[in-house]
mmCIF file of all heavy atoms in Angstrom:
data_model
loop_
_atom_site.group_PDB
_atom_site.id
_atom_site.type_symbol
_atom_site.label_atom_id
_atom_site.label_comp_id
_atom_site.label_asym_id
_atom_site.label_seq_id
_atom_site.Cartn_x
_atom_site.Cartn_y
_atom_site.Cartn_z
ATOM 1 N N HIS A 358 -24.419 -18.607 -7.887
ATOM 2 C CA HIS A 358 -23.268 -18.983 -7.028
ATOM 3 C C HIS A 358 -23.685 -18.922 -5.573
ATOM 4 O O HIS A 358 -23.617 -19.900 -4.862
ATOM 5 C CB HIS A 358 -22.054 -18.102 -7.318
ATOM 6 C CG HIS A 358 -20.903 -18.352 -6.396
ATOM 7 N ND1 HIS A 358 -20.660 -17.596 -5.263
ATOM 8 C CD2 HIS A 358 -19.943 -19.313 -6.416
ATOM 9 C CE1 HIS A 358 -19.600 -18.098 -4.641
ATOM 10 N NE2 HIS A 358 -19.149 -19.110 -5.327
ATOM 11 N N HIS A 359 -24.155 -17.745 -5.141
ATOM 12 C CA HIS A 359 -24.726 -17.591 -3.809
ATOM 13 C C HIS A 359 -25.839 -16.531 -3.960
ATOM 14 O O HIS A 359 -25.873 -15.830 -4.969
ATOM 15 C CB HIS A 359 -23.680 -17.155 -2.781
ATOM 16 C CG HIS A 359 -23.090 -15.790 -3.064
ATOM 17 N ND1 HIS A 359 -22.107 -15.587 -3.974
ATOM 18 C CD2 HIS A 359 -23.438 -14.565 -2.592
ATOM 19 C CE1 HIS A 359 -21.828 -14.297 -4.029
ATOM 20 N NE2 HIS A 359 -22.627 -13.655 -3.237
ATOM 21 N N THR A 360 -26.708 -16.490 -2.986
ATOM 22 C CA THR A 360 -27.775 -15.481 -3.056
ATOM 23 C C THR A 360 -27.200 -14.112 -2.720
ATOM 24 O O THR A 360 -26.762 -13.892 -1.599
ATOM 25 C CB THR A 360 -28.915 -15.827 -2.061
ATOM 26 O OG1 THR A 360 -29.279 -17.182 -2.325
ATOM 27 C CG2 THR A 360 -30.105 -14.926 -2.256
ATOM 28 N N ALA A 361 -27.126 -13.234 -3.697
ATOM 29 C CA ALA A 361 -26.468 -11.927 -3.489
ATOM 30 C C ALA A 361 -27.266 -11.142 -2.448
ATOM 31 O O ALA A 361 -28.490 -11.253 -2.358
ATOM 32 C CB ALA A 361 -26.463 -11.193 -4.804
ATOM 33 N N PRO A 362 -26.579 -10.320 -1.659
ATOM 34 C CA PRO A 362 -27.286 -9.454 -0.691
ATOM 35 C C PRO A 362 -27.928 -8.288 -1.479
ATOM 36 O O PRO A 362 -27.360 -7.199 -1.579
ATOM 37 C CB PRO A 362 -26.124 -8.965 0.212
ATOM 38 C CG PRO A 362 -24.877 -9.103 -0.604
ATOM 39 C CD PRO A 362 -25.111 -10.159 -1.623
ATOM 40 N N VAL A 363 -29.107 -8.594 -1.997
ATOM 41 C CA VAL A 363 -29.753 -7.710 -2.997
ATOM 42 C C VAL A 363 -29.869 -6.267 -2.521
ATOM 43 O O VAL A 363 -29.406 -5.333 -3.202
ATOM 44 C CB VAL A 363 -31.148 -8.317 -3.355
ATOM 45 C CG1 VAL A 363 -31.945 -7.351 -4.218
ATOM 46 C CG2 VAL A 363 -30.956 -9.668 -4.037
ATOM 47 N N ASN A 364 -30.449 -6.065 -1.352
ATOM 48 C CA ASN A 364 -30.684 -4.692 -0.938
ATOM 49 C C ASN A 364 -29.384 -3.952 -0.533
ATOM 50 O O ASN A 364 -29.269 -2.743 -0.746
ATOM 51 C CB ASN A 364 -31.673 -4.665 0.265
ATOM 52 C CG ASN A 364 -33.052 -5.104 -0.150
ATOM 53 O OD1 ASN A 364 -33.204 -6.218 -0.657
ATOM 54 N ND2 ASN A 364 -34.021 -4.247 0.009
ATOM 55 N N ALA A 365 -28.435 -4.758 -0.046
ATOM 56 C CA ALA A 365 -27.143 -4.114 0.269
ATOM 57 C C ALA A 365 -26.503 -3.610 -1.022
ATOM 58 O O ALA A 365 -25.883 -2.541 -1.070
ATOM 59 C CB ALA A 365 -26.220 -5.102 0.971
ATOM 60 N N LEU A 366 -26.700 -4.331 -2.106
ATOM 61 C CA LEU A 366 -26.130 -3.907 -3.370
ATOM 62 C C LEU A 366 -26.871 -2.696 -3.969
ATOM 63 O O LEU A 366 -26.234 -1.849 -4.626
ATOM 64 C CB LEU A 366 -26.106 -5.079 -4.370
ATOM 65 C CG LEU A 366 -25.035 -6.152 -4.040
ATOM 66 C CD1 LEU A 366 -25.270 -7.415 -4.802
ATOM 67 C CD2 LEU A 366 -23.640 -5.609 -4.289
ATOM 68 N N TYR A 367 -28.183 -2.577 -3.666
ATOM 69 C CA TYR A 367 -28.839 -1.298 -4.044
ATOM 70 C C TYR A 367 -28.126 -0.160 -3.341
ATOM 71 O O TYR A 367 -27.950 0.945 -3.915
ATOM 72 C CB TYR A 367 -30.301 -1.252 -3.531
ATOM 73 C CG TYR A 367 -31.276 -2.273 -4.052
ATOM 74 C CD1 TYR A 367 -32.512 -2.435 -3.376
ATOM 75 C CD2 TYR A 367 -31.052 -3.092 -5.171
ATOM 76 C CE1 TYR A 367 -33.470 -3.338 -3.779
ATOM 77 C CE2 TYR A 367 -32.012 -3.990 -5.578
ATOM 78 C CZ TYR A 367 -33.194 -4.125 -4.890
ATOM 79 O OH TYR A 367 -34.142 -5.016 -5.296
ATOM 80 N N GLY A 368 -27.795 -0.366 -2.076
ATOM 81 C CA GLY A 368 -27.129 0.686 -1.321
ATOM 82 C C GLY A 368 -25.776 1.051 -1.902
ATOM 83 O O GLY A 368 -25.441 2.227 -2.058
ATOM 84 N N LEU A 369 -25.004 0.041 -2.249
ATOM 85 C CA LEU A 369 -23.671 0.316 -2.821
ATOM 86 C C LEU A 369 -23.829 1.028 -4.164
ATOM 87 O O LEU A 369 -23.078 1.973 -4.466
ATOM 88 C CB LEU A 369 -22.883 -0.998 -3.009
ATOM 89 C CG LEU A 369 -21.485 -0.804 -3.565
ATOM 90 C CD1 LEU A 369 -20.595 0.011 -2.643
ATOM 91 C CD2 LEU A 369 -20.800 -2.180 -3.845
ATOM 92 N N HIS A 370 -24.809 0.604 -4.944
ATOM 93 C CA HIS A 370 -25.056 1.268 -6.221
ATOM 94 C C HIS A 370 -25.313 2.767 -6.011
ATOM 95 O O HIS A 370 -24.705 3.602 -6.669
ATOM 96 C CB HIS A 370 -26.257 0.572 -6.902
ATOM 97 C CG HIS A 370 -26.620 1.103 -8.251
ATOM 98 N ND1 HIS A 370 -27.417 2.239 -8.392
ATOM 99 C CD2 HIS A 370 -26.296 0.714 -9.509
ATOM 100 C CE1 HIS A 370 -27.538 2.492 -9.704
ATOM 101 N NE2 HIS A 370 -26.863 1.586 -10.390
ATOM 102 N N GLU A 371 -26.166 3.071 -5.043
ATOM 103 C CA GLU A 371 -26.527 4.479 -4.800
ATOM 104 C C GLU A 371 -25.278 5.246 -4.300
ATOM 105 O O GLU A 371 -25.037 6.390 -4.711
ATOM 106 C CB GLU A 371 -27.653 4.555 -3.738
ATOM 107 C CG GLU A 371 -28.234 5.926 -3.561
ATOM 108 C CD GLU A 371 -29.034 6.416 -4.807
ATOM 109 O OE1 GLU A 371 -29.344 5.598 -5.691
ATOM 110 O OE2 GLU A 371 -29.301 7.653 -4.865
ATOM 111 N N ALA A 372 -24.496 4.619 -3.409
ATOM 112 C CA ALA A 372 -23.314 5.287 -2.883
ATOM 113 C C ALA A 372 -22.347 5.603 -3.993
ATOM 114 O O ALA A 372 -21.746 6.684 -4.053
ATOM 115 C CB ALA A 372 -22.646 4.386 -1.831
ATOM 116 N N LEU A 373 -22.217 4.672 -4.950
ATOM 117 C CA LEU A 373 -21.268 4.883 -6.057
ATOM 118 C C LEU A 373 -21.817 5.894 -7.045
ATOM 119 O O LEU A 373 -21.059 6.649 -7.660
ATOM 120 C CB LEU A 373 -20.990 3.536 -6.753
ATOM 121 C CG LEU A 373 -20.184 2.543 -5.890
ATOM 122 C CD1 LEU A 373 -20.180 1.162 -6.522
ATOM 123 C CD2 LEU A 373 -18.745 3.011 -5.669
ATOM 124 N N VAL A 374 -23.135 5.923 -7.213
ATOM 125 C CA VAL A 374 -23.745 6.960 -8.082
ATOM 126 C C VAL A 374 -23.416 8.334 -7.483
ATOM 127 O O VAL A 374 -23.065 9.272 -8.178
ATOM 128 C CB VAL A 374 -25.292 6.733 -8.191
ATOM 129 C CG1 VAL A 374 -25.971 8.008 -8.745
ATOM 130 C CG2 VAL A 374 -25.600 5.537 -9.073
ATOM 131 N N MET A 375 -23.524 8.438 -6.165
ATOM 132 C CA MET A 375 -23.231 9.711 -5.494
ATOM 133 C C MET A 375 -21.778 10.103 -5.673
ATOM 134 O O MET A 375 -21.439 11.284 -5.821
ATOM 135 C CB MET A 375 -23.585 9.633 -3.996
ATOM 136 C CG MET A 375 -25.103 9.553 -3.794
ATOM 137 S SD MET A 375 -25.483 9.475 -2.053
ATOM 138 C CE MET A 375 -24.741 10.990 -1.515
ATOM 139 N N LEU A 376 -20.903 9.089 -5.599
ATOM 140 C CA LEU A 376 -19.455 9.396 -5.775
ATOM 141 C C LEU A 376 -19.214 9.916 -7.193
ATOM 142 O O LEU A 376 -18.454 10.865 -7.405
ATOM 143 C CB LEU A 376 -18.645 8.122 -5.495
ATOM 144 C CG LEU A 376 -17.109 8.254 -5.597
ATOM 145 C CD1 LEU A 376 -16.603 9.223 -4.540
ATOM 146 C CD2 LEU A 376 -16.440 6.907 -5.453
ATOM 147 N N GLN A 377 -19.910 9.305 -8.142
ATOM 148 C CA GLN A 377 -19.737 9.731 -9.541
ATOM 149 C C GLN A 377 -20.299 11.134 -9.721
ATOM 150 O O GLN A 377 -19.692 11.960 -10.414
ATOM 151 C CB GLN A 377 -20.464 8.738 -10.456
ATOM 152 C CG GLN A 377 -20.223 8.956 -11.923
ATOM 153 C CD GLN A 377 -21.146 8.111 -12.760
ATOM 154 O OE1 GLN A 377 -22.360 8.066 -12.529
ATOM 155 N NE2 GLN A 377 -20.611 7.381 -13.692
ATOM 156 N N GLU A 378 -21.426 11.408 -9.096
ATOM 157 C CA GLU A 378 -22.028 12.745 -9.196
ATOM 158 C C GLU A 378 -21.079 13.811 -8.654
ATOM 159 O O GLU A 378 -20.894 14.896 -9.225
ATOM 160 C CB GLU A 378 -23.365 12.833 -8.413
ATOM 161 C CG GLU A 378 -24.508 12.147 -9.108
ATOM 162 C CD GLU A 378 -25.738 12.029 -8.190
ATOM 163 O OE1 GLU A 378 -25.698 12.495 -7.058
ATOM 164 O OE2 GLU A 378 -26.734 11.423 -8.665
ATOM 165 N N GLU A 379 -20.479 13.505 -7.496
ATOM 166 C CA GLU A 379 -19.558 14.509 -6.907
ATOM 167 C C GLU A 379 -18.265 14.586 -7.690
ATOM 168 O O GLU A 379 -17.698 15.662 -7.852
ATOM 169 C CB GLU A 379 -19.233 14.104 -5.431
ATOM 170 C CG GLU A 379 -18.268 15.099 -4.764
ATOM 171 C CD GLU A 379 -17.967 14.788 -3.301
ATOM 172 O OE1 GLU A 379 -18.223 13.627 -2.883
ATOM 173 O OE2 GLU A 379 -17.507 15.691 -2.590
ATOM 174 N N GLY A 380 -17.830 13.451 -8.199
ATOM 175 C CA GLY A 380 -16.547 13.373 -8.896
ATOM 176 C C GLY A 380 -15.450 12.980 -7.910
ATOM 177 O O GLY A 380 -15.399 13.550 -6.813
ATOM 178 N N LEU A 381 -14.625 12.034 -8.302
ATOM 179 C CA LEU A 381 -13.581 11.508 -7.413
ATOM 180 C C LEU A 381 -12.654 12.637 -6.916
ATOM 181 O O LEU A 381 -12.392 12.733 -5.730
ATOM 182 C CB LEU A 381 -12.707 10.509 -8.130
ATOM 183 C CG LEU A 381 -13.047 9.034 -8.015
ATOM 184 C CD1 LEU A 381 -12.092 8.187 -8.845
ATOM 185 C CD2 LEU A 381 -12.999 8.576 -6.565
ATOM 186 N N GLU A 382 -12.198 13.475 -7.836
ATOM 187 C CA GLU A 382 -11.283 14.542 -7.446
ATOM 188 C C GLU A 382 -11.906 15.459 -6.405
ATOM 189 O O GLU A 382 -11.267 15.883 -5.445
ATOM 190 C CB GLU A 382 -10.825 15.367 -8.647
ATOM 191 C CG GLU A 382 -9.823 14.700 -9.572
ATOM 192 C CD GLU A 382 -10.480 13.712 -10.541
ATOM 193 O OE1 GLU A 382 -11.752 13.659 -10.535
ATOM 194 O OE2 GLU A 382 -9.754 13.062 -11.279
ATOM 195 N N ASN A 383 -13.199 15.788 -6.608
ATOM 196 C CA ASN A 383 -13.881 16.671 -5.652
ATOM 197 C C ASN A 383 -14.015 15.988 -4.299
ATOM 198 O O ASN A 383 -13.924 16.621 -3.262
ATOM 199 C CB ASN A 383 -15.269 17.032 -6.175
ATOM 200 C CG ASN A 383 -15.172 17.926 -7.406
ATOM 201 O OD1 ASN A 383 -14.192 18.642 -7.565
ATOM 202 N ND2 ASN A 383 -16.175 17.868 -8.261
ATOM 203 N N SER A 384 -14.240 14.671 -4.324
ATOM 204 C CA SER A 384 -14.359 13.954 -3.031
ATOM 205 C C SER A 384 -13.026 13.961 -2.300
ATOM 206 O O SER A 384 -12.972 14.229 -1.102
ATOM 207 C CB SER A 384 -14.813 12.493 -3.285
ATOM 208 O OG SER A 384 -14.817 11.783 -2.100
ATOM 209 N N TRP A 385 -11.923 13.742 -3.039
ATOM 210 C CA TRP A 385 -10.593 13.795 -2.390
ATOM 211 C C TRP A 385 -10.355 15.184 -1.826
ATOM 212 O O TRP A 385 -9.858 15.352 -0.701
ATOM 213 C CB TRP A 385 -9.481 13.491 -3.431
ATOM 214 C CG TRP A 385 -9.582 12.107 -4.066
ATOM 215 C CD1 TRP A 385 -10.167 10.987 -3.545
ATOM 216 C CD2 TRP A 385 -9.091 11.747 -5.378
ATOM 217 N NE1 TRP A 385 -10.088 9.954 -4.422
ATOM 218 C CE2 TRP A 385 -9.436 10.360 -5.549
ATOM 219 C CE3 TRP A 385 -8.429 12.422 -6.398
ATOM 220 C CZ2 TRP A 385 -9.120 9.694 -6.712
ATOM 221 C CZ3 TRP A 385 -8.106 11.723 -7.555
ATOM 222 C CH2 TRP A 385 -8.432 10.363 -7.717
ATOM 223 N N ALA A 386 -10.713 16.221 -2.587
ATOM 224 C CA ALA A 386 -10.494 17.608 -2.158
ATOM 225 C C ALA A 386 -11.329 17.950 -0.938
ATOM 226 O O ALA A 386 -10.852 18.599 0.002
ATOM 227 C CB ALA A 386 -10.799 18.582 -3.288
ATOM 228 N N ARG A 387 -12.528 17.429 -0.878
ATOM 229 C CA ARG A 387 -13.413 17.701 0.282
ATOM 230 C C ARG A 387 -12.803 17.037 1.543
ATOM 231 O O ARG A 387 -12.775 17.615 2.617
ATOM 232 C CB ARG A 387 -14.819 17.128 0.001
ATOM 233 C CG ARG A 387 -15.794 17.244 1.177
ATOM 234 C CD ARG A 387 -17.224 16.909 0.776
ATOM 235 N NE ARG A 387 -17.348 15.618 0.088
ATOM 236 C CZ ARG A 387 -17.403 14.427 0.692
ATOM 237 N NH1 ARG A 387 -17.353 14.346 1.986
ATOM 238 N NH2 ARG A 387 -17.486 13.292 0.004
ATOM 239 N N HIS A 388 -12.327 15.783 1.403
ATOM 240 C CA HIS A 388 -11.687 15.133 2.573
ATOM 241 C C HIS A 388 -10.489 15.947 3.053
ATOM 242 O O HIS A 388 -10.296 16.095 4.260
ATOM 243 C CB HIS A 388 -11.295 13.698 2.195
ATOM 244 C CG HIS A 388 -12.440 12.721 2.185
ATOM 245 N ND1 HIS A 388 -13.258 12.576 1.093
ATOM 246 C CD2 HIS A 388 -12.935 11.884 3.118
ATOM 247 C CE1 HIS A 388 -14.191 11.673 1.374
ATOM 248 N NE2 HIS A 388 -14.010 11.230 2.595
ATOM 249 N N GLU A 389 -9.712 16.473 2.125
ATOM 250 C CA GLU A 389 -8.531 17.255 2.512
ATOM 251 C C GLU A 389 -8.936 18.560 3.212
ATOM 252 O O GLU A 389 -8.371 18.908 4.262
ATOM 253 C CB GLU A 389 -7.704 17.543 1.218
ATOM 254 C CG GLU A 389 -6.452 18.386 1.465
ATOM 255 C CD GLU A 389 -5.416 17.747 2.360
ATOM 256 O OE1 GLU A 389 -5.364 16.496 2.438
ATOM 257 O OE2 GLU A 389 -4.661 18.489 3.036
ATOM 258 N N ARG A 390 -9.923 19.213 2.657
ATOM 259 C CA ARG A 390 -10.382 20.484 3.224
ATOM 260 C C ARG A 390 -10.863 20.343 4.678
ATOM 261 O O ARG A 390 -10.480 21.085 5.571
ATOM 262 C CB ARG A 390 -11.561 21.007 2.371
ATOM 263 C CG ARG A 390 -11.559 22.457 2.105
ATOM 264 C CD ARG A 390 -12.587 22.925 1.108
ATOM 265 N NE ARG A 390 -13.809 22.180 0.943
ATOM 266 C CZ ARG A 390 -14.140 21.488 -0.138
ATOM 267 N NH1 ARG A 390 -13.314 21.414 -1.168
ATOM 268 N NH2 ARG A 390 -15.300 20.857 -0.209
ATOM 269 N N ASN A 391 -11.687 19.309 4.872
ATOM 270 C CA ASN A 391 -12.267 19.123 6.207
ATOM 271 C C ASN A 391 -11.203 18.678 7.235
ATOM 272 O O ASN A 391 -11.271 19.011 8.404
ATOM 273 C CB ASN A 391 -13.458 18.169 6.195
ATOM 274 C CG ASN A 391 -14.635 18.835 5.435
ATOM 275 O OD1 ASN A 391 -14.928 19.993 5.680
ATOM 276 N ND2 ASN A 391 -15.245 18.119 4.533
#
Side-chain angles (χ1 to χ4, degrees):
H358 175 262
H359 64 279
T360 308
V363 171
N364 293 58
L366 287 167
Y367 298 166
L369 181 62
H370 181 277
E371 189 67 14
L373 292 168
V374 165
M375 289 181 59
L376 183 64
Q377 189 190 48
E378 284 169 2
E379 180 177 18
L381 266 178
E382 285 81 3
N383 292 334
S384 176
W385 301 334
R387 175 170 53 81
H388 283 83
E389 178 62 27
R390 220 171 29 248
N391 291 316

